[in-house]
Amino acid sequence: MNRATEKSLYLRGVRAGVPFLLVVMPFGLLFGVVATEAGLTTWQTMIFSSVVFAGASQFAALQLMVENAPMAIVVATALAVNLRMAMYSASLATYIGDAPFLTRALVAYLNVDQSYAVAVNTFEDEPDLTTPQRVSYFLGAVTPIVPMWIVATALGVWLGEGIPPSMALDFAVPICFLAIIAPMMRTLAHMLAAVTSIVIALVLAGVPYNLGLLIAAAAAMMVGAQVELWQARKAAG
């Protein structure tokens, strides 16, 4: 049985989340700058980051809003980009599904790519952790990320065009996801799903309103599910 205390697991989570500040900071700055340039007020931008709390879908929705896309397309695209959160939640439910409702609701709200990645990797490596220990680790991992995202967005709003283009803040978006996804490419299903999404997204890059992303996401999930099903049948039979 794992004898680590909930406090020690929380602190371990904090240490695991701190490195992600290197990408969360420029990511948040960039959103603050882009949102204000797109015409959002300071309060609209801050509420956007605090309530939606999902960088990739925020950028996707903002781009479509600037292009005057139909609201249905804006919402559908944002939901599609964030569809991975539903899969994250299903995965986390196997580890903390018996936690109290309010605890699960808090985890659901704070669930971001970075906290999910470090938490699930730890849960898989240490299967004897209790549910309270897992929750403590998850909350620790997200503790550095949440305030930095809000603070960075505010700084982006405040600094605005004062941030020189030479800083190239947009590097944070792809690097952030590469840092998260690379360690999770553990199975054939993961890799084939990733390749499928990349290829289809590139092929359909010219489709209006980023609808190619919706198609790529759906195709990648189907490929991953079929590969896992094939592997399960092969192992059983």
Side-chain angles (χ1 to χ4, degrees):
M1 180 178 179
N2 193 301
R3 297 183 180 277
T5 65
E6 292 175 29
K7 180 179 179 180
S8 67
L9 264 298
Y10 176 83
L11 293 176
R12 279 181 55 193
V14 171
R15 289 194 294 271
V18 165
F20 286 107
L21 296 182
L22 294 175
V23 289
V24 171
M25 181 69 175
F27 205 166
L29 278 171
L30 181 61
F31 180 75
V33 172
V34 172
T36 51
E37 289 181 350
L40 269 64
T41 66
T42 298
W43 284 112
Q44 288 173 332
T45 303
M46 295 310 301
I47 291 173
F48 202 168
S49 271
S50 302
V51 175
V52 178
F53 195 59
S57 66
Q58 288 177 220
F59 275 103
L62 186 63
Q63 179 183 347
L64 292 172
M65 290 164 64
V66 171
E67 296 175 358
N68 294 317
M71 187 53 62
I73 296 295
V74 174
V75 174
T77 300
L79 289 175
V81 172
N82 257 14
L83 190 60
R84 67 192 187 283
M85 295 299 172
M87 295 182 283
Y88 291 174
S89 298
S91 174
L92 285 173
T94 62
Y95 297 105
I96 61 172
D98 56 347
F101 172 77
L102 291 179
T103 300
R104 286 182 281 122
L106 177 63
V107 169
Y109 171 66
L110 297 176
N111 189 20
V112 293
D113 300 283
Q114 297 90 342
S115 59
Y116 170 79
V118 297
V120 166
N121 283 339
T122 298
F123 299 163
E124 289 178 350
D125 293 339
E126 302 179 41
D128 58 337
L129 292 176
T130 65
T131 296
Q133 288 175 327
R134 290 168 179 159
V135 171
S136 294
Y137 184 87
F138 177 93
L139 294 178
V142 82
T143 293
I145 297 169
V146 174
M148 181 54 72
W149 174 252
I150 304 300
V151 170
T153 299
L155 286 174
V157 172
W158 179 52
L159 296 174
E161 295 181 357
I163 299 177
S166 59
M167 288 185 66
L169 294 177
D170 52 347
F171 85 95
V173 179
I175 287 181
C176 180
F177 284 98
L178 285 173
I180 292 166
I181 293 172
M184 301 179 72
M185 293 292 101
R186 298 184 174 185
T187 69
L188 179 62
H190 293 160
M191 290 184 282
L192 290 180
V195 171
T196 300
S197 65
I198 292 170
V199 171
I200 295 180
L202 290 175
V203 170
L204 301 181
V207 176
Y209 303 135
N210 286 332
L211 291 178
L213 289 177
L214 305 184
I215 300 171
M221 286 187 287
M222 288 188 288
V223 168
Q226 287 299 316
V227 172
E228 287 191 342
L229 182 61
W230 172 73
Q231 288 179 319
R233 288 175 176 171
K234 183 178 180 181

